[in-house]
Amino acid sequence: MTEYTEDYVRKEARTWLENNWDPNLDLFEWRNKLADSGWGLPNWPSNWYGRDLPVGLVPIVEEEFQRIGALPIPKSGIRMLAAATILNHGTEMHKEKFLRRIVTGEDVWCQLFSEPGSGSDLAGATTKAVMVGNKWVVNGQKVWTTSAHKAHWGLLLARTDMDATKHDGLSYFIIDMKQPGVETQPLKQMNGYASFNQVFLTDAEVLPDFQVSELGDGWKVATTTLMHERRAADSLRAWGQVPSSEGPIYDQERAEIETTMAPYKWYPQRAGRVDLIMQRAKETGAIKDPAVRQEIAKLMTLHKSAEWTARRARSAQEQGKPQGPEGSLGKLAASNVARAAAKVHTMISGAHSMLSGDDSPENGTVAEVLISFPASSIAGGTDEIQKNIISERVLDMPKETRFDAGKPFKDIPRNTIS
């Protein structure tokens, strides 16, 4: 068994990259090389396009990619949540069919969880999946679904038993988004993007082989997806920034960011763009204002604390610990950082922070931060949901009084007619 050390991993990664990286390669060809070698996602299992590397050593590999200018596997977006869920709960068929195409970027994914009548109550989903003949037939509506208009596949949470309790009547599926019966309608956001969609499912079909885990285990699988989403909240700060290097492979990366991955372009802005704060403060002279300096100090303290929380989460993952409440801690911390960053950006730029266009601060990026950061407090579970999880699972405080516990779902009052 290989004893992994920082020096060993660095030497192996550096040697492989120096022998294989070429900016003249086709992007798809490069990602297939990464899949075959395992260096693209080295903490994945070696039999599924990884190298069994401890998560704590992955930053060493990332440093070597940055040193040589090699493009990594994009780790933002729903496809990585799909990969994590399939690795945890999927069948061998799911892994064979989907994982490599996730690594190469051939398939786009979306997450069909939220519904108009459920708000943050994910377990209140009313979209139904009914077995008709030899396949599941799905009817319902989902909303706030990123990339649904581009997706090939969707992670679907649907109700398969109205007589079971709220959490026990749910099942988890992988659904073909390009089939008849799946209609997507993009929703225009106030920041100018249209990343989200409402999705109407009308007699859409799912084969039994595309059911993930056991019937009625949907809540457990969905929790895995959400924990990975919350754990990854800190990784959104830098993704989507167009590379400036020259070469055919960089041109293809830029084209992918502008098209397929366009729904995620504003994610660094929703995270607050802390990376711009010091630069802006020095350029504008705001760094000389003691009140501004004090707020910058507070922000950087929050930012570093959030980073350390994320590292603690990765350490827990490295030790093989199950997804836990540290994901909620990190998600809430990221939300607080984004809010504090928006405040500091406003202090630095003043009324100019409301301007967009070429002559605005950072070509409109600061204005985009101010109208995008509220999403951090909502996506992946609201701040209020995270606080409940932290209070109950970390602080061991009494749970909220529930009025639906033990009742069949069909007998629970809800906002929609099913």
Side-chain angles (χ1 to χ4, degrees), residues 168 213 280 396:
D168 294 336
S213 198
R280 291 282 304 151
D396 200 25

Side-chain angles (χ1 to χ4, degrees), residues 145-410:
T145 308
T146 305
S147 287
H149 56 310
K150 296 178 177 290
H152 301 96
W153 300 98
L155 303 172
L156 171 67
L157 188 67
R159 192 159 298 281
T160 50
D161 189 349
M162 294 291 288
D163 292 315
T165 59
K166 189 174 183 177
H167 293 79
D168 294 336
L170 296 165
S171 297
Y172 198 108
F173 303 92
I174 296 172
I175 187 169
D176 179 359
M177 293 295 292
K178 299 300 184 184
Q179 65 172 297
V182 178
E183 179 187 355
T184 62
Q185 294 183 356
L187 301 170
K188 190 76 169 181
Q189 301 153 217
M190 67 179 179
N191 62 8
Y193 294 96
S195 303
F196 304 124
N197 301 261
Q198 52 184 345
V199 181
F200 299 93
L201 303 162
T202 307
D203 293 334
E205 297 180 349
V206 180
L207 293 175
D209 286 347
F210 289 81
Q211 177 183 321
V212 181
S213 198
E214 298 297 320
L215 191 66
D217 273 353
W219 180 254
K220 178 180 72 176
V221 184
T223 299
T224 296
T225 307
L226 289 172
M227 288 298 101
H228 279 283
E229 182 177 15
R230 292 162 187 168
R231 214 175 231 181
D234 71 306
S235 68
L236 300 175
R237 295 188 298 268
W239 191 87
Q241 296 178 41
V242 179
S244 59
S245 303
E246 297 297 325
I249 197 168
Y250 297 113
D251 294 337
Q252 291 176 6
E253 170 86 340
R254 282 189 281 268
E256 182 181 71
I257 290 173
E258 292 296 325
T259 55
T260 303
M261 302 303 286
Y264 304 97
K265 281 179 62 177
W266 61 283
Y267 277 32
Q269 280 67 268
R270 91 177 193 186
R273 291 307 299 267
V274 178
D275 58 305
L276 297 177
I277 293 291
M278 291 303 298
Q279 168 196 328
R280 291 282 304 151
K282 292 175 181 177
E283 288 176 351
T284 61
I287 195 71
K288 299 176 183 178
D289 185 327
V292 174
R293 286 203 307 271
Q294 185 69 17
E295 292 304 317
I296 291 175
K298 290 179 185 177
L299 170 61
M300 294 307 176
T301 301
L302 281 174
H303 178 62
K304 275 298 178 185
S305 297
E307 183 180 312
W308 293 330
T309 299
R311 288 183 182 181
R312 192 169 68 221
R314 286 194 288 270
S315 177
Q317 187 180 15
E318 176 188 345
Q319 297 168 35
K321 295 180 179 179
Q323 301 291 324
E326 74 277 357
S328 292
L329 288 167
K331 169 70 169 58
L332 187 59
S335 182
N336 289 334
V337 168
R339 192 178 298 111
K343 177 181 178 181
V344 175
H345 277 300
T346 304
M347 292 181 72
I348 291 172
S349 299
H352 290 92
S353 61
M354 296 185 288
L355 298 177
S356 61
D358 294 340
D359 59 348
S360 63
E362 294 293 324
N363 295 321
T365 297
V366 171
E368 196 170 302
V369 167
L370 300 190
I371 56 176
S372 299
F373 83 88
S376 295
S377 300
I378 301 170
T382 64
D383 285 358
E384 290 75 18
I385 293 291
Q386 309 314 322
K387 289 175 181 177
N388 276 351
I389 293 171
I390 293 165
S391 66
E392 294 175 6
R393 301 184 191 175
V394 180
L395 303 177
D396 200 25
M397 295 173 68
K399 292 187 176 183
E400 286 189 309
T401 302
R402 304 271 316 229
F403 298 99
D404 53 14
K407 294 182 180 179
F409 185 75
K410 65 182 181 182

